[in-house]
Amino acid sequence: MTVTIDNAPIRELIDAEKLQARIAEMGAELTDAYRGLDPVLVCILKGSMPFFAALGQAMTIPVRYDYLAVASYHGGTKSSGVVKFLADLSTDIVGRHVVLVEDIVDTGRTMAYLLENLKTRQPASLEVVTLLDKPSRREVDVPIGYRGFEIPDEFVIGFGLDYAQYYRNLPYIGVLEQIPEVPKPGA
Ligand code: PRP
């Protein structure tokens, strides 16, 4: 049988309960670290969206939200190394405490690019929070302030992470055991 998006075998790596428990801990740590600082949480679209939403709700201090979009994978299972800015923040971050919220730091190229870019806007501080960290793939060193889980070098999907834009809606982190065929538009 052809393996397609809806019947591809997926091995669960981090279940929904573990994810939520760890995110609650991270939210509590950030609450303590940013009390009185009126931080801006930045969601790095698209992958970070479910983590961002859960992390924000796990924080019990006033926070502001902003969004930006970058892409580096362009549909494959490996980073292309080329980072493209698709949408910028809608607010000025000069003098503000900025928390960048990522789903995964892999080669580190996306985060290094963002840090370099956002630093020039003179925020009061700039911190990196990532749900997943894959240190074995790092090509560029990036300072990670808070990490949810360190994971092995496997292609992960779910909880915001995609393969060919699918699987972002899974409530857990999984590994695709076979790369499925992607449906063509209108098929
Ligand atoms: C993924 C992920 C990070 C980046 C990490 O984004 O969300 O932004 O890749 O990879 P790196 O450390 O090798 O740069 P992607 O470009 O797939 O866009 P998406 O969030 O829209 O899926």
Side-chain angles (χ1 to χ4, degrees):
M1 187 176 65
T2 313
V3 173
T4 61
I5 291 293
D6 50 346
N7 67 10
I10 299 170
R11 172 166 46 87
E12 203 165 271
L13 190 67
I14 308 171
D15 68 32
E17 207 178 317
K18 244 194 194 153
L19 280 177
Q20 297 301 338
R22 182 68 188 117
I23 295 168
E25 283 174 5
M26 295 172 86
E29 283 176 41
L30 285 163
T31 294
D32 287 344
Y34 284 89
R35 199 179 302 281
L37 296 181
D38 195 12
V40 185
L41 302 189
V42 174
C43 179
I44 303 167
L45 296 168
K46 304 171 193 163
S48 142
M49 195 267 278
F51 174 48
F52 180 82
L55 187 70
Q57 287 176 7
M59 292 177 71
T60 54
I61 52 169
V63 295
R64 300 176 192 222
Y65 280 7
D66 207 340
Y67 305 83
L68 59 78
V70 285
S72 67
Y73 275 51
H74 309 301
T77 59
K78 291 264 180 322
S79 173
S80 66
V82 180
V83 182
K84 206 170 143 198
F85 227 112
L86 303 176
D88 205 344
L89 298 172
S90 64
T91 51
D92 195 351
I93 56 166
V94 60
R96 306 205 63 89
H97 293 278
V98 176
V99 180
L100 294 175
V101 182
E102 241 320 3
D103 51 346
I104 186 166
V105 177
D106 189 336
T107 65
R109 290 191 181 280
T110 304
M111 194 47 81
Y113 171 88
L114 283 176
L115 288 171
E116 200 183 297
N117 182 297
L118 298 179
K119 255 181 213 158
T120 64
R121 306 183 195 187
Q122 296 171 318
S125 66
L126 196 52
E127 187 62 278
V128 177
V129 178
T130 186
L131 178 63
L132 306 177
D133 183 14
K134 214 190 251 185
S136 58
R137 294 245 317 144
R138 200 74 90 249
E139 292 172 14
V140 188
D141 197 29
V142 285
I144 297 178
Y146 302 82
R147 72 167 57 70
F149 302 89
E150 197 175 300
I151 60 164
D153 185 10
E154 292 189 285
F155 186 73
V156 283
I157 50 160
F159 211 74
L161 292 129
D162 74 304
Y163 169 66
Q165 301 301 328
Y166 290 94
Y167 304 113
R168 294 191 197 273
N169 58 320
L170 298 178
Y172 60 89
I173 301 287
V175 175
L176 271 179
E177 306 232 80
Q178 252 177 293
I179 299 300
E181 272 186 21
V182 178
K184 293 192 177 56

